[in-house]
Amino acid sequence: MRVVIALGGNALLRRGEAMTADTQRRNARVAAQAIAPLAAEHEVVITHGNGPQVGLLALQGAAYKPEEAYPLDVLGAETEGMIGYMLEQELGNLLPFEQPLATLLTMVEVDAGDPGFQNPTKFVGPVYDKGEADRIRGEKGWVFKQDGDKWRRVVASPAPKRIFEIRPIRWLLEQRTIVICAGGGGIPTMYEKGADRKLIGVEAVIDKDLCSELLARELRADLLVMATDAEAVCIDWGKPSQKAIHRVRPDDLEQFSFPAGSMGPKVEAASHFARTSGKTAAIGSLADIAGMVRGDRGTIINTGFAGLTWHG
């Protein structure tokens, strides 16, 4: 099978962890250990989140004058290289020497008129107490929203329209290469208004789940796996009545509501992939990637299922 695996940003830098290179390296090693066994049987494409990392780089930009700070598209490119390097090296340490791996900087087109620019929703960077968030808001003019009992910066998150490097990704897969691409939803770009095909960067962070879904469709993947910090899609999360969905059709998921800042985009993206491609999507924990490929772990979404079933 051709499998696209989308690693959530928290899979590489978990909430509350120190934002250090050693921490990210350790988490990249865990991800590699979960993915490496699939390489012998399947074509593998890996995407990843970058919210914590791009936020960290933006904070480091405080050393610059405001007009000298690097924009989010450049920071997104930096995170693609940083995270891709770690994943590529950790996978290479587990796989046969002859297995090729490649990290591809991936530009993604967005629409200048996307409503996401009017309502920033994408969480980036670390969490803060309200007092600290208010102080930074006053200093930098950043927008903050509540994330659980903490506060985090939010930035614009336009929908992806086109993946510019889709042909090189296909070429690499034809050579049995494990490809790491579209990190953080890709580098946000658009054509400058009034110019003749002049591509420019955009101050935004594209939703990684929506971009991974677009990538999986354009690659005609057999399976889209969305690895997160939950074992499955659950209803009544955190309540005594919590139940984990096992197998489900996209239409049956519409009866439930999921948080917009966490599980909602994953359910939306997975359902869209299953509905439009006729193939399978899966949502579950990083440790259960192999089980999701087998179909016995996580939440498996396909239009051909007879109905909704639950984990026991």
Side-chain angles (χ1 to χ4, degrees):
M1 292 195 300
R2 177 169 290 181
V3 183
V4 172
I5 301 172
L7 301 175
N10 290 336
L12 297 170
L13 194 56
R14 297 180 178 87
R15 185 182 178 93
E17 284 187 325
M19 298 175 75
T20 64
D22 285 345
T23 298
Q24 294 184 75
R25 168 73 68 180
R26 183 172 61 252
N27 291 334
R29 186 172 300 126
V30 171
Q33 290 167 347
I35 295 170
L38 304 177
E41 298 182 37
H42 307 289
E43 294 180 352
V44 176
V45 180
I46 303 168
T47 71
H48 57 81
N50 73 342
Q53 291 84 0
V54 80
L56 173 63
L57 292 178
L59 281 173
Q60 292 175 348
Y64 297 92
K65 297 176 182 178
E67 66 273 13
E68 296 175 344
Y70 281 75
L72 286 173
D73 60 302
V74 176
L75 300 184
E78 290 184 21
T79 63
E80 283 194 344
M82 173 178 68
I83 297 170
Y85 159 67
M86 291 184 179
L87 287 171
E88 196 174 321
Q89 195 172 73
E90 294 301 330
L91 281 165
N93 288 336
L94 297 171
L95 294 168
F97 181 77
E98 61 272 15
Q99 171 64 60
L101 300 108
T103 297
L104 195 64
L105 292 181
T106 313
M107 294 186 292
V108 175
E109 184 182 6
V110 300
D111 190 335
D114 192 292
F117 287 109
Q118 307 303 318
N119 179 32
T121 58
K122 181 68 174 177
F123 288 116
V124 298
V127 295
Y128 299 96
D129 293 327
K130 189 174 187 307
E132 182 69 3
D134 288 341
R135 183 187 66 78
I136 297 173
R137 181 188 293 115
E139 290 180 357
K140 299 181 178 298
W142 289 354
V143 178
F144 283 84
K145 290 186 178 180
Q146 195 161 3
D147 182 13
D149 61 348
K150 299 290 186 178
W151 293 76
R152 289 180 76 191
R153 183 190 179 192
V154 290
V155 300
S157 183
K161 290 177 57 181
R162 182 193 322 184
I163 298 170
F164 284 105
E165 283 77 17
I166 195 69
R167 286 183 298 168
I169 294 169
R170 291 186 184 125
W171 297 336
L172 287 165
L173 286 172
E174 290 170 2
Q175 300 303 314
R176 302 294 297 177
T177 304
I178 295 175
V179 184
I180 303 165
C181 61
I187 304 164
T189 58
M190 68 173 64
Y191 286 108
E192 188 173 54
K193 190 174 182 180
D196 184 19
R197 292 185 60 80
K198 180 182 178 182
L199 198 64
I200 58 173
V202 180
E203 188 74 356
V205 174
I206 300 169
D207 185 90
K208 175 265 305 174
D209 298 318
L210 296 182
C211 188
S212 298
E213 189 275 331
L214 175 60
L215 176 71
R217 271 191 291 121
E218 295 205 345
L219 291 177
R220 297 184 179 179
D222 300 291
L223 176 64
L224 170 61
V225 174
M226 308 187 110
T228 181
D229 53 1
E231 294 184 0
V233 178
C234 296
I235 63 167
D236 297 339
W237 177 262
K239 300 178 181 178
S241 55
Q242 176 178 316
K243 293 173 66 177
I245 299 171
H246 183 200
R247 295 174 181 265
V248 63
R249 294 176 298 197
D251 291 350
D252 293 331
L253 277 172
E254 292 181 356
Q255 65 185 291
F256 305 113
S257 177
F258 302 100
S262 54
M263 191 58 76
K266 292 175 176 56
V267 170
E268 177 187 351
S271 295
H272 190 264
F273 175 74
R275 187 180 287 117
T276 56
S277 70
K279 301 298 179 62
T280 301
I283 303 173
S285 75
L286 178 65
D288 289 338
I289 285 178
M292 286 188 278
V293 172
R294 294 193 304 269
D296 54 26
R297 303 300 296 268
T299 295
I300 313 300
I301 304 167
N302 188 285
T303 56
F305 291 147
L308 188 155
T309 61
W310 307 90
H311 282 287

